[in-house]
């Protein structure tokens, strides 16, 4: 059997005003109890994903960081139902959306409700997990994105918008089960399905005053679920291939606004020229122009290598590009002007439509 390394990242709330949260604590999943004990089981988290044979790189602060994006990932499918909980009316909205999600798993993916784990977060939400074994999933580089696609599809069947589809970055942490939530002053505890349906918010919060231990849901593979998820996997396999292809055939846009042209030529120095902000703005321009994320990433990788002093690493460009496309950050002319120091509307294709037309090739006479 081939040996492999396996890591998770842990984090914790702290009492420091300057650094209220600490993370980048890497360890084998079997060692997380030591981290939990170090922080007295209060405000402790671990990544949903487990990272298989990851590589590490030095970031700008000269700290070793795990390259989460490119390694194989493994972990349970997770859903986070989360709204401010002030009364039972709010709690019933979460319950309703949770029921819709369970119905989706049952009818669309043939996952029995008994195979679904439910947790009260200790504050304002309900967490749901389904074992990757039940779904028949293998480790995958884009597993978190596959899960996001599934969550997005499920969210279309919910009614109150309590399902958070923004929690699927490749370093997402969830609160450890049976750890104490400092904000909610309760423990994150497992719940039986019938308890969630019947209990009031006050009763659940009362139950969460202490740790609670229940047997996890059975892990019985659903062949139908595996078959349904093959389409999600195929989509992300194609994206990985496309990204590699883009890196080998980057072409220039027909015309760039003067400000963007300057940003692709100028050098940006660390701490002096707003290097990271400029990179974020440039990625935003590509996104707003409708460029595919894979091509934008390929361009940003080259920009980080050629226009930054010292050069920005590939993983940093990935973080910037993924953030921009994931959150749909949109920068406007004033910000591009400020970052580039250039603005000339008279020769800007955004203000002169004729300039945005493709240049015609000069005609030549052929014998």
């Amino acid at each position: 059997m081939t040996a492999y390394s396996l890591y998770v990242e842990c984090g914790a709330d702290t009492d420091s005003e300057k650094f209220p949260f600490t993370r980048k604590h890497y360890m084998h999943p079997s060692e997380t109890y030591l981290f939990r004990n170090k922080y007295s089981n209060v405000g402790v988290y671990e990544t949903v994903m487990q990272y298989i044979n990851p590589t590490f790189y030095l970031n700008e602060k000269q700290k070793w960081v795990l390259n989460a994006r490119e390694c194989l990932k493994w972990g349970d499918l997770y859903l986070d139902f989360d709204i401010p909980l002030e009364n039972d009316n709010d709690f019933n909205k979460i319950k309703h959306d949770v029921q819709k999600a369970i119905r989706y798993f049952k009818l669309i993916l043939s996952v029995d409700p008994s195979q679904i784990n439910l947790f009260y977060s200790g504050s304002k939400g309900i967490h749901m997990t389904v074992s990757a074994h039940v779904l028949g999933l293998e480790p995958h580089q884009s597993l978190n994105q596959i899960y996001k696609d599934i969550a997005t599809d499920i969210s279309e069947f919910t009614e109150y918008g309590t399902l958070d589809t923004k929690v699927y970055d490749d370093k997402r942490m969830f609160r450890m089960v049976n750890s104490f939530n400092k904000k909610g002053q309760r423990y994150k505890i497992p719940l039986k399905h019938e308890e969630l349906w019947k209990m009031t918010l006050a009763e659940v919060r009362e139950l969460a005053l202490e740790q609670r231990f229940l047997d996890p849901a059975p892990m019985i593979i659903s062949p139908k679920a595996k078959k349904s998820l093959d389409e999600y996997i195929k989509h992300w396999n194609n994206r990985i291939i496309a990204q590699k292809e883009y890196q080998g055939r980057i072409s220039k846009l027909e015309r760039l606004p003067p400000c963007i042209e300057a940003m692709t030529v100028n050098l940006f120095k660390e701490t002096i020229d707003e290097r990271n902000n400029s990179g974020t703005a440039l990625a935003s321009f590509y996104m707003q122009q409708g460029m595919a994320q894979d091509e934008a990433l390929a361009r940003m990788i080259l920009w980080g290598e050629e226009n930054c002093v010292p050069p920005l690493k590939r993983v940093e460009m990935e973080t910037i590009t993924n953030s921009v496309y994931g959150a749909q950050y949109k920068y406007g002319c004033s910000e591009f002007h400020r970052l580039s120091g250039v603005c000339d509307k008279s020769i800007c294709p955004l203000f002169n439509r004729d300039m945005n037309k493709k240049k015609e090739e000069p005609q030549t006479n052929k014998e």
Side-chain angles (χ1 to χ4, degrees):
M1 180 178 293
T2 303
Y4 64 90
S5 59
L6 191 64
Y7 288 87
V8 293
E9 179 184 354
C10 290
D13 298 320
T14 72
D15 296 324
S16 169
E17 293 184 5
K18 187 176 182 181
F19 302 105
F21 188 77
T22 178
R23 63 179 306 163
K24 296 183 177 65
H25 302 277
Y26 304 107
M27 62 200 72
H28 190 273
S30 65
E31 299 172 333
T32 56
Y33 78 96
L34 297 173
F35 185 85
R36 185 194 289 260
N37 292 342
K38 179 179 178 180
Y39 288 91
S40 302
N41 197 37
V42 176
V44 287
Y45 306 76
E46 65 179 300
T47 48
V48 180
M49 295 292 134
Q50 298 179 2
Y51 307 105
I52 301 172
N53 293 333
T55 57
F56 290 79
Y57 67 95
L58 279 173
N59 65 9
E60 290 183 351
K61 297 180 181 179
Q62 296 302 299
K63 291 185 177 180
W64 286 102
V65 178
L66 184 145
N67 183 355
R69 186 177 187 276
E70 293 191 357
C71 65
L72 288 174
K73 288 176 276 290
W74 171 252
D76 294 341
L77 169 61
Y78 59 98
L79 301 177
D80 182 12
F81 299 85
D82 189 355
I83 58 171
L85 284 177
E86 298 180 359
N87 51 50
D88 280 322
N89 185 50
D90 297 328
F91 196 39
N92 287 335
K93 291 179 180 178
I94 288 183
K95 288 183 181 182
H96 185 84
D97 284 353
V98 168
Q99 287 178 320
K100 291 291 186 180
I102 292 176
R103 182 176 175 84
Y104 181 94
F105 280 116
K106 180 179 180 180
L107 299 181
I108 306 299
L109 299 181
S110 294
V111 173
D112 190 273
S114 66
Q115 298 173 295
I116 300 173
N117 299 293
L118 298 175
F119 306 89
Y120 170 57
S121 71
S123 180
K124 58 177 183 175
I126 296 294
H127 296 167
M128 175 189 294
T129 65
V130 180
S131 169
H133 292 289
V134 171
L135 300 174
L137 291 175
E138 300 292 334
H140 196 282
Q141 179 180 333
S142 301
L143 187 60
N144 58 300
Q145 295 285 1
I146 292 169
Y147 285 168
K148 180 176 182 177
D149 286 350
I150 297 171
T152 300
D153 286 348
I154 293 175
S155 69
E156 295 181 2
F157 293 89
T158 62
E159 296 182 21
Y160 295 105
T162 66
L163 178 55
D164 190 349
T165 58
K166 297 180 181 179
V167 294
Y168 293 94
D169 55 272
D170 51 26
K171 296 181 181 178
R172 176 61 53 171
M173 292 184 176
F174 257 28
R175 191 178 302 276
M176 294 183 183
V177 179
N178 276 316
S179 66
F180 191 73
N181 186 324
K182 294 172 68 174
K183 183 177 180 180
Q185 291 295 297
R186 296 293 189 277
Y187 287 93
K188 175 179 177 178
I189 60 169
L191 290 173
K192 298 178 182 178
H193 288 231
E194 58 269 22
E195 292 173 335
L196 178 60
W197 312 143
K198 295 179 180 179
M199 283 185 164
T200 64
L201 176 60
E203 289 171 334
V204 171
R205 286 178 56 79
E206 179 72 20
L207 195 63
L209 285 170
E210 298 179 350
Q211 293 179 322
R212 193 166 193 241
F213 298 89
L214 298 176
D215 291 333
M219 292 188 292
I220 303 172
I221 294 178
S222 168
K224 185 175 180 180
K226 178 175 173 54
K227 184 176 180 180
S228 298
L229 296 179
D230 282 344
E231 289 302 312
Y232 293 102
I233 296 170
K234 181 180 179 181
H235 166 71
W236 283 98
N237 285 342
N238 290 338
R239 287 201 61 172
I240 292 172
I241 294 171
Q243 180 184 322
K244 293 178 179 178
E245 290 178 347
Y246 275 126
Q247 293 172 10
R249 52 179 179 84
I250 297 177
S251 58
K252 292 185 178 181
L253 298 175
E254 289 300 323
R255 287 175 177 82
L256 292 175
C259 56
I260 302 299
E261 182 71 41
M263 293 177 70
T264 63
V265 175
N266 295 346
L267 291 178
F268 293 84
K269 298 178 182 178
E270 183 180 8
T271 73
I272 298 176
D273 300 308
E274 296 195 57
R275 187 178 60 173
N276 284 38
N277 286 342
S278 298
T280 303
L282 187 57
S284 174
F285 172 79
Y286 291 145
M287 179 199 70
Q288 292 181 73
Q289 291 299 301
M291 184 180 293
Q293 183 174 344
D294 297 312
E295 182 173 356
L297 174 57
R299 290 174 182 270
M300 292 305 300
I301 290 172
L302 287 183
W303 183 84
E305 294 174 350
E306 298 176 357
N307 296 81
C308 294
V309 181
L312 282 171
K313 294 182 175 65
R314 174 194 175 97
V315 290
E316 294 171 295
M317 291 294 92
E318 290 172 347
T319 298
I320 289 174
T321 307
N322 291 340
S323 296
V324 168
Y325 274 76
Q328 295 288 292
Y329 293 133
K330 294 183 179 179
Y331 283 63
C333 288
S334 60
E335 190 67 3
F336 291 130
H337 181 192
R338 186 182 73 82
L339 292 168
S340 67
V342 175
C343 184
D344 189 343
K345 294 182 180 179
S346 67
I347 57 172
C348 179
L350 297 178
F351 292 88
N352 296 271
R353 293 184 179 180
D354 289 341
M355 296 186 63
N356 212 28
K357 295 178 181 178
K358 186 174 182 179
K359 293 180 180 179
E360 295 183 1
E361 296 293 333
Q363 293 183 353
T364 58
N365 294 323
K366 296 183 179 179
E367 294 293 334

